Amino acid sequence: MNTETGKTALITGASSGIGQELAKLFAQDGYNLVLVARSDDKLDRLGEVFKSNYGTQQVTVIGKDLSTEDAAQDVYNQVKAKGITVDVLVNDAGVGLYGLFATDTDWEREKAMIHLNVLTLTQMTKLFLYDMLSRNEGKILNLASLLSIAPSPLMAVYAGTKAYVYNFTQSLINELKDTNVTITALLPNATDTDFFNKAGAENTKVTDEVQDPVMVAQAGYDALMAGKHKIVPGGFKNKSYEILSYVAPQEAVASMMRNKMEQKPDPVAEKDDSSIAWEIGIGIAVVAGIALGLAYAKSDAIDRAKYRYKAKSLADTLSDTLSSVADNVVSSVLDTYKTTKAKARELTNRAEEEVEEVEAIA
């Protein structure tokens, strides 16, 4: 489309996965590119593809291990030395590590992960954000994760780093609200990249439901360009996980995430009971949340206070129900299924009544 000819986007982690797909989108829109990753060769080849396919005018390649001390400062210095103005910063580079924190994982790898996922991202943001504010123009996209809003046993340190990224981003959004600089958090679910292989989690259950990196990148790109605060790609299912992480007890969410991160069972084994129960619980959260959300949206300013109270009450009821599911699923999944299904009907009926009440008033 070449809508942004002359502007420059800097993308870390650009050699593969979501970062590569984002770089492609910027190239298609006419941006010049600064591509940062460990592999110079991969980035050089990628740059040639962009020049050939999209007519990209300028591709600058910086081979750098961003998990090392002051890596961000070195990248910034190289960019400034070349006289490049970065209009868009994409902090995509990140790694994970799988295993029990106390006994399975290696501290040196965890330390490097914290440096890359947290320290480098923070320093890159600080350096380039200062320049953006001096021009009062710019955009930043930070790669968080759905795990940034949910505890994740077996990937505890990774989830902790992404929680930092999400909280950091949302805090900056408030600080930047009176400027023309925007910052967006991208919260994808498990995505079909080399991430799980590098993390040692290639045989976990969650890899059976990975998303297309092309879809994730497009959702993140669109949200960035629109100046949105955050985006959860993947539609209804991933929104349901987001709702669940807000309304369910954290112990229950941790239990669900532990199940998803465990090793795959025997292919002939039946679907495990906790998975069935949690899918029902997710359904409750989505139906109840969406129905009350519709009611809230249709009400006037006076009635909205009433719906905020009802939403709180519904969330408390849902939280109790999900706790019950988590406590009873192992010992009696059939009883849990029936109880939860009945509660789902009850909550759905209540939510539908709220919508009908508002529609009747309207």
Side-chain angles (χ1 to χ4, degrees), residues 163-225:
Y164 169 84
V165 172
Y166 180 68
N167 192 295
F168 172 65
T169 302
Q170 297 304 309
S171 298
L172 291 187
I173 286 168
N174 178 268
E175 293 185 12
L176 299 172
K177 63 184 178 66
D178 296 323
T179 74
N180 291 325
V181 179
T182 64
I183 184 166
T184 303
L186 174 58
L187 283 70
N189 203 342
T191 306
D192 189 12
T193 67
D194 201 33
F195 172 86
F196 289 99
N197 291 329
K198 291 179 178 177
E202 63 274 12
N203 194 46
T204 52
K205 296 176 186 177
V206 73
T207 58
D208 286 337
E209 53 183 75
V210 291
Q211 302 178 125
D212 183 0
V214 174
M215 178 276 293
V216 172
Q218 187 67 63
Y221 187 82
D222 292 343
L224 172 71
M225 292 303 159

Side-chain angles (χ1 to χ4, degrees), residues 22 28 69 74 85 114-115 142 153 164 170 176 199 202 210 252 259 265 268 273-274 340 354-355:
L22 283 164
Q28 289 173 346
E69 189 72 22
D74 183 55
T85 297
I114 294 169
H115 204 297
N142 285 337
Y164 169 84
Q170 297 304 309
L176 299 172
E202 63 274 12
V210 291
N259 176 268
V268 300
D273 297 338
S274 60
T340 310
E354 300 293 352
V355 174

Side-chain angles (χ1 to χ4, degrees), residues 290-296 298 307 349-361:
I290 290 176
L292 271 181
L294 288 172
Y296 183 85
K298 292 181 179 181
Y307 282 100
N349 291 337
R350 284 174 56 188
E352 288 175 346
E353 289 172 2
E354 300 293 352
V355 174
E356 290 173 359
E357 178 185 338
V358 171
E359 289 178 341
I361 293 173

Side-chain angles (χ1 to χ4, degrees), residues 26 65 192 210 215 287 299 339 352:
F26 282 106
D65 180 356
D192 189 12
V210 291
M215 178 276 293
V287 172
S299 62
T339 300
E352 288 175 346

Side-chain angles (χ1 to χ4, degrees), residues 98 147 152-154 189-190 196 201 203-209 237-238 241 244 253-264 272 274-275 278-279 282:
Y98 178 80
L147 296 189
S152 186
L154 300 178
N189 203 342
F196 289 99
N203 194 46
T204 52
K205 296 176 186 177
V206 73
T207 58
D208 286 337
E209 53 183 75
K237 181 178 181 180
N238 290 340
Y241 285 130
L244 191 65
V253 176
S255 178
M256 178 185 72
M257 298 308 300
R258 172 68 178 265
N259 176 268
K260 286 183 173 295
M261 289 308 303
E262 288 178 346
Q263 297 291 306
K264 295 177 184 177
D272 69 90
S274 60
S275 177
W278 275 109
E279 286 175 4
I282 289 170

Side-chain angles (χ1 to χ4, degrees), residues 23-327:
K24 184 187 300 183
L25 292 170
F26 282 106
Q28 289 173 346
D29 263 1
Y31 278 83
N32 294 322
L33 301 173
V34 178
L35 306 179
V36 184
R38 290 188 181 189
S39 174
D40 297 63
D41 292 341
K42 285 184 179 180
L43 295 178
D44 284 333
R45 290 195 296 270
L46 193 60
E48 291 305 316
V49 169
F50 290 157
K51 289 178 181 178
S52 173
N53 291 354
Y54 310 120
T56 306
Q57 296 178 2
Q58 181 180 341
V59 178
T60 302
V61 168
I62 299 178
K64 189 70 181 178
D65 180 356
L66 294 176
S67 66
T68 58
E69 189 72 22
D70 284 330
Q73 184 70 59
D74 183 55
V75 170
Y76 178 79
N77 291 345
Q78 290 190 52
V79 169
K80 297 295 285 186
K82 295 177 186 295
I84 298 172
T85 297
V86 172
D87 300 283
V88 181
L89 171 65
V90 177
N91 285 309
D92 172 80
V95 294
L97 185 61
Y98 178 80
L100 294 170
F101 173 72
T103 57
D104 295 349
T105 55
D106 176 71
W107 168 243
E108 290 303 318
R109 290 187 65 185
E110 284 170 331
K111 183 167 66 172
M113 175 171 59
I114 294 169
H115 204 297
L116 173 60
N117 295 5
V118 174
L119 294 180
T120 295
L121 178 143
T122 305
Q123 190 176 19
M124 290 281 285
T125 302
K126 191 174 190 69
L127 292 168
F128 287 102
L129 178 59
Y130 184 88
D131 292 344
M132 290 178 183
L133 286 174
S134 69
R135 303 189 305 269
N136 197 26
E137 182 182 19
K139 296 180 181 295
I140 299 174
L141 179 66
N142 285 337
L143 190 72
S145 166
L146 266 181
L147 296 189
S148 66
I149 55 175
S152 186
L154 300 178
M155 293 196 79
V157 177
Y158 172 77
T161 64
K162 290 303 180 178
Y164 169 84
V165 172
Y166 180 68
N167 192 295
F168 172 65
T169 302
Q170 297 304 309
S171 298
L172 291 187
I173 286 168
N174 178 268
E175 293 185 12
L176 299 172
K177 63 184 178 66
D178 296 323
T179 74
N180 291 325
V181 179
T182 64
I183 184 166
T184 303
L186 174 58
L187 283 70
N189 203 342
T191 306
D192 189 12
T193 67
D194 201 33
F195 172 86
F196 289 99
N197 291 329
K198 291 179 178 177
E202 63 274 12
N203 194 46
T204 52
K205 296 176 186 177
V206 73
T207 58
D208 286 337
E209 53 183 75
V210 291
Q211 302 178 125
D212 183 0
V214 174
M215 178 276 293
V216 172
Q218 187 67 63
Y221 187 82
D222 292 343
L224 172 71
M225 292 303 159
K228 293 184 178 179
H229 296 171
K230 69 172 181 178
I231 180 67
V232 178
F236 185 83
K237 181 178 181 180
N238 290 340
K239 280 294 184 182
S240 72
Y241 285 130
E242 182 186 14
I243 293 170
L244 191 65
S245 70
Y246 294 146
V247 301
Q250 289 295 284
E251 317 89 79
V253 176
S255 178
M256 178 185 72
M257 298 308 300
R258 172 68 178 265
N259 176 268
K260 286 183 173 295
M261 289 308 303
E262 288 178 346
Q263 297 291 306
K264 295 177 184 177
D266 189 311
V268 300
E270 294 183 359
K271 193 172 187 180
D272 69 90
D273 297 338
S274 60
S275 177
I276 295 172
W278 275 109
E279 286 175 4
I280 298 167
I282 289 170
I284 297 172
V286 172
V287 172
I290 290 176
L292 271 181
L294 288 172
Y296 183 85
K298 292 181 179 181
S299 62
D300 58 28
I302 297 176
D303 289 335
R304 286 188 177 185
K306 175 182 69 175
Y307 282 100
R308 283 195 293 269
Y309 171 79
K310 290 185 177 181
K312 172 67 166 57
S313 176
L314 183 59
D316 291 341
T317 303
L318 172 60
S319 180
D320 292 341
T321 302
L322 292 175
S323 293
S324 177
V325 171
D327 291 340

